[in-house]
Amino acid sequence: MITSLAWKNIWRNRTRSSVILGAIALGLFCGVYINSFMTGWMYTTVDDDINNHLSHIQIHDTAFSANNDISAYFPREKVEAAVGESGLVTAASYRLSLTAMLASANNAVGITAKAVFPEDEKAVSTIWQNIADTMGAYLPDDARTAIVISKKTADKLKVKLKSKIVLTFQDTNGDMQSLALRVSGIYKTANGMKDEATVYVRYSDVFPVTGLPENVFHEAALRTADLETCRQADARLKTLLPDMDVKDWGENEPALEMSLAMTEFFGVIILAIFLFALSFGIINTMLMAVLERTRELGMLGAIGMSKRRIFNMIMLETALLTFVGSLVGIIIGTALIVPSLSSGIDLTPFMGDQFEDYGFGSIIYPVLNVKMFVQIIALVIIAGILSAIYPARKALKLKPLEAMRN
Amino acid sequence: MNTIIKTTELVKIFRETAQEVCAVNNVSLSINEGEFTAIVGPSGSGKTTLLNLIGGLDKATSGSIVIDGQDISSLSEKRITEFRLHNIGFIFQAYNLIPVLTAKENVSFVMDLQGRKKSEIDRRATELLTSVGLGDRMNSRPAKLSGGQQQRVAVARALASKPKFILADEPTANLDSKSAANLLDMMERLNKQENVTFIFSTHDPRIMAKARRIVTLEDGKTVNDEAR
């Protein structure tokens, strides 16, 4: 009956309770939405980077990681054996990675040229899917000396599809090698910074002039089923290849991994700030409710309701107010997020593609996950309890006789 | 007749800055089961203070109060609250019902605090409200009831816990004469038929007329104790 009384007490002053419930609901709605949006933004960025540029795991010779030396290669069989033994890798692409200069008639830029086997590459990277229909194709078999460059690079070099450009790099002997290549495709991903830095060429076009022995590579890009498997595969490969530089996506891009962790952390902080601010409103509302009912609380003590029960009743009223408001906010927030989970939220109309210059996508896919809801519910419980203590203590201090004289 | 309340040399002094006021001065009183007693006297004579002391709502400066063999002066605040719940019924001048609960819920509330079974609570609340003439208003909230009806609910609530006695502080003060007469008739009936002990603090001559014992206080002292 005390629960029922607590619930009815909340609605004694409908306007006041509705206002604070609305404020809690709005706060939680904003918290859920911002949290989901920010986390989704980072997850989208991470997914895009993994799919287009990083893959799940990359393996290099340790010397190559240190100075990108063309002679710091590894034999394919060695890595292939370890990859096969791990049993956790779904696709692998072996690449030569050359620090090079790319020049057109108008301009020259420094880039990294990835010499790849196109079909293997398509299994680990979605760059080929980021070539628009009118922007050519990904290193087609019928094209001679093809190169795929990014839209940003094309703009800098002022070249178009089928334009001729020259790739210059140093071979293993230290001699400069130049290859004349035709732009076969122009891609554009959400990460403009990485787009600018990378071009793709066929292994068969580049290998003959590198001076490298056959079947050696600078980079193995690996895909696993998901991020959890990625962690397992990374640990396994580190054990199997102790003398090589095995890195998962987070190790390759620590800033990205840290941004993801920070975003999740700040999401919780933002929510905590919302709830902290709201708790003052809750305390004020409940304090008014206690002070208005001083006489009645005194009467309850007089007829035999213990102080513990009065304390619990006020705690329960505050908790119910907080939880109902939070529940409404979470439901509204979730309901508004669900439709954009698959379609995403396109920020291009508001921000153009300026985020892409900093490595972030313009279409955000919000994320709703159990961890977020657990964090929210934990924060709500903490805020509810903390807000309840002060008004309940006020009620606890009342003496029945003095309170009834109020 | 069992003595259910026995006060011995009861004193209550209020200290107000430099002044001391002796609200109850050496009152020794025995009240037996089934009495219908009125404590009367002019304003400031100590009626309400005496009632509060007997009800365990206030602590005596000295003296003892023994209720059904239990000295309540020595009980802790927690124990005295528990004692009130199971042994004493209260009727207040301003009814003091819980406004958000219906008449039946108000009556049930005390029994719920006692931890009784839901079926028993439901049955007894219905019986009590019917016996005070509110069988048809059980689901009404206090705001929908007249003053007289609210005080009847308060009587039913006071009886609900099956107390050893009921303390009623000026129960008719806020009622019109007809409602007051009806309420008194009802309480007299409960006293006679069910042997419920009532102790009133009052100025109301109608209560005095019905009381079978009148204890008169003046300046905190018993100046007359008259059985009829």
Side-chain angles (χ1 to χ4, degrees):
Chain A
M1 189 171 238
I2 287 180
T3 309
S4 159
L5 177 59
W7 177 248
K8 286 174 179 171
N9 282 337
I10 290 174
W11 298 107
R12 282 180 187 226
N13 190 326
R14 283 175 188 274
T15 309
R16 190 171 64 203
S17 294
S18 300
V19 166
I20 192 69
L21 270 176
I24 297 169
L26 188 65
L28 261 292
F29 157 70
C30 291
V32 168
Y33 202 90
I34 289 172
N35 222 322
S36 169
F37 183 86
M38 285 172 58
T39 309
W41 196 0
M42 282 316 301
Y43 272 120
T44 305
T45 304
V46 168
D47 278 349
D48 282 351
D49 259 13
I50 288 173
N51 292 336
N52 294 324
H53 301 286
L54 294 172
S55 63
H56 281 127
I57 297 167
Q58 288 187 9
I59 301 172
H60 302 95
D61 183 87
T62 45
F64 185 86
S65 297
N67 55 20
N68 287 352
D69 181 0
I70 189 170
S71 299
Y73 50 78
F74 60 80
R76 177 171 177 154
E77 308 85 68
K78 180 182 176 183
V79 173
E80 245 176 2
V83 165
E85 196 180 332
S86 77
L88 296 166
V89 174
T90 55
S93 174
Y94 294 86
R95 304 161 171 166
L96 297 179
S97 182
L98 306 167
T99 304
M101 182 70 77
L102 197 61
S104 69
N106 303 301
N107 208 348
V109 292
I111 45 87
T112 298
K114 307 273 186 189
V116 300
F117 298 95
E119 290 312 311
D120 291 351
E121 188 66 16
K122 283 179 182 177
V124 298
S125 162
T126 52
I127 288 289
W128 63 281
Q129 291 172 332
N130 288 284
I131 299 172
D133 291 343
T134 54
M135 287 294 172
Y138 188 79
L139 305 175
D141 290 339
D142 55 348
R144 237 164 37 91
T145 60
I147 185 168
V148 170
I149 63 173
S150 70
K151 173 84 168 50
K152 290 234 170 199
T153 307
D155 291 343
K156 276 191 177 177
L157 295 177
K158 296 179 183 163
V159 296
K160 298 184 293 187
L161 204 60
K162 294 186 179 168
S163 294
K164 190 188 272 184
I165 50 179
V166 176
L167 181 75
T168 306
F169 60 93
Q170 222 172 22
D171 66 14
T172 52
N173 300 316
D175 299 328
M176 298 306 291
Q177 299 290 340
S178 292
L179 283 174
L181 304 161
R182 278 197 192 277
V183 178
S184 74
I186 298 174
Y187 71 91
K188 181 178 182 295
T189 73
N191 190 332
M193 285 166 73
K194 284 209 171 64
D195 282 5
E196 277 182 292
T198 317
V199 300
Y200 295 86
V201 291
R202 278 193 300 239
Y203 173 84
S204 55
D205 292 339
V206 174
F207 168 70
V209 294
T210 57
L212 289 163
E214 283 203 20
N215 265 328
V216 298
F217 295 89
H218 298 123
E219 186 171 287
L222 311 177
R223 291 284 300 194
T224 59
D226 49 44
L227 293 182
E228 182 50 39
T229 318
C230 168
R231 270 186 280 275
Q232 294 168 13
D234 180 55
R236 185 88 184 104
L237 288 167
K238 279 187 167 95
T239 312
L240 292 168
L241 298 167
D243 57 338
M244 295 196 69
D245 193 24
V246 179
K247 286 181 177 171
D248 68 7
W249 65 271
E251 290 167 309
N252 273 315
E253 285 290 334
L256 192 63
E257 192 175 34
M258 198 179 77
S259 298
L260 185 60
M262 291 290 279
T263 303
E264 288 177 334
F265 175 70
F266 280 120
V268 175
I269 295 292
I270 287 170
L271 203 62
I273 292 169
F274 276 148
L275 283 167
F276 182 68
L278 283 170
S279 64
F280 284 94
I282 299 167
I283 290 170
N284 185 45
T285 301
M286 288 312 300
L287 210 51
M288 285 169 73
V290 168
L291 294 176
E292 280 173 2
R293 279 154 53 204
T294 299
R295 192 183 172 87
E296 185 181 315
L297 294 171
M299 178 275 294
L300 290 173
I303 65 169
M305 188 172 182
S306 67
K307 288 197 164 185
R308 183 178 56 81
R309 279 178 159 158
I310 292 174
F311 180 85
N312 288 345
M313 183 178 74
I314 303 295
M315 288 286 284
L316 194 60
E317 285 176 29
T318 316
L320 283 171
L321 192 70
T322 310
F323 298 150
V324 169
S326 302
L327 192 67
V328 171
I330 290 170
I331 290 171
I332 294 172
T334 306
L336 288 178
I337 286 166
V338 166
S340 55
L341 286 178
S342 53
S343 60
I345 300 165
D346 190 358
L347 298 181
T348 316
F350 312 106
M351 311 296 286
D353 59 358
Q354 55 183 286
F355 287 123
E356 291 171 8
D357 294 339
Y358 301 98
F360 298 100
S362 297
I363 298 177
I364 315 300
Y365 295 90
V367 168
L368 288 174
N369 57 35
V370 176
K371 186 180 164 191
M372 185 179 81
F373 283 114
V374 169
Q375 285 170 341
I376 290 171
I377 289 165
L379 282 170
V380 165
I381 290 171
I382 293 168
I385 290 170
L386 290 180
S387 308
I389 288 174
Y390 184 62
R393 271 179 60 84
K394 275 274 177 197
L396 197 63
K397 286 180 181 170
L398 294 174
K399 293 191 182 302
L401 197 57
E402 288 170 15
M404 281 196 296
R405 283 186 190 136
N406 183 281
Chain B
M1 283 275 191
N2 284 338
T3 299
I4 53 168
I5 302 167
K6 184 173 174 55
T7 71
T8 309
E9 295 173 357
L10 203 59
V11 174
K12 177 65 186 178
I13 296 171
F14 291 108
R15 290 184 175 81
E16 291 172 4
T17 54
Q19 211 179 349
E20 284 191 347
V21 177
C22 189
V24 173
N25 190 356
N26 221 25
V27 172
S28 295
L29 195 67
S30 288
I31 292 174
N32 294 327
E33 193 179 353
E35 280 194 16
F36 201 70
T37 299
I39 298 170
V40 300
S43 292
S45 60
K47 308 182 293 292
T48 300
T49 306
L50 179 61
L51 224 59
N52 289 338
L53 291 171
I54 293 171
L57 294 171
D58 210 351
K59 285 265 181 196
T61 308
S62 65
S64 71
I65 307 164
V66 177
I67 294 175
D68 208 22
Q70 165 93 58
D71 184 353
I72 65 164
S73 353
S74 58
L75 294 179
S76 67
E77 196 176 336
K78 187 179 171 188
R79 295 283 306 279
I80 194 78
T81 306
E82 188 74 12
F83 186 86
R84 282 199 300 268
L85 176 62
H86 293 282
N87 297 284
I88 308 173
F90 288 92
I91 300 168
F92 304 100
Q93 181 179 333
Y95 328 132
N96 284 5
L97 299 176
I98 303 169
V100 292
L101 300 184
T102 63
K104 191 174 178 182
E105 287 168 339
N106 265 287
V107 176
S108 302
F109 189 72
V110 182
M111 292 185 277
D112 188 65
L113 291 178
Q114 288 181 316
R116 294 205 207 166
K117 285 181 186 168
K118 197 174 180 307
S119 55
E120 186 196 345
I121 292 172
D122 196 60
R123 180 181 50 74
R124 185 160 169 78
T126 306
E127 276 174 14
L128 286 168
L129 284 167
T130 307
S131 78
V132 298
L134 291 173
D136 56 340
R137 304 304 303 271
M138 284 194 282
N139 295 318
S140 300
R141 288 194 178 186
K144 299 282 181 191
L145 300 173
S146 68
Q149 288 172 324
Q150 286 188 56
Q151 200 60 302
R152 283 165 179 266
V153 176
V155 172
R157 179 179 67 183
L159 287 165
S161 62
K162 296 185 178 168
K164 295 199 166 57
F165 58 91
I166 288 175
L167 296 174
D169 185 12
E170 306 274 13
T172 53
N174 288 355
L175 302 180
D176 60 65
S177 55
K178 192 180 170 195
S179 300
N182 286 338
L183 185 78
L184 279 173
D185 287 344
M186 183 199 75
M187 290 197 281
E188 191 177 32
R189 177 175 53 79
L190 287 166
N191 173 255
K192 283 181 178 166
Q193 290 176 359
E194 299 180 28
N195 204 33
V196 178
T197 309
F198 281 93
I199 301 149
F200 300 93
S201 134
T202 187
H203 285 107
D204 190 340
R206 288 165 300 198
I207 296 181
M208 293 183 218
K210 284 191 183 288
R212 294 201 298 283
R213 180 182 172 189
I214 293 181
V215 178
T216 309
L217 295 183
E218 268 183 34
D219 297 328
K221 289 182 183 169
T222 314
V223 293
N224 190 30
D225 189 346
E226 175 194 1
R228 298 172 173 188

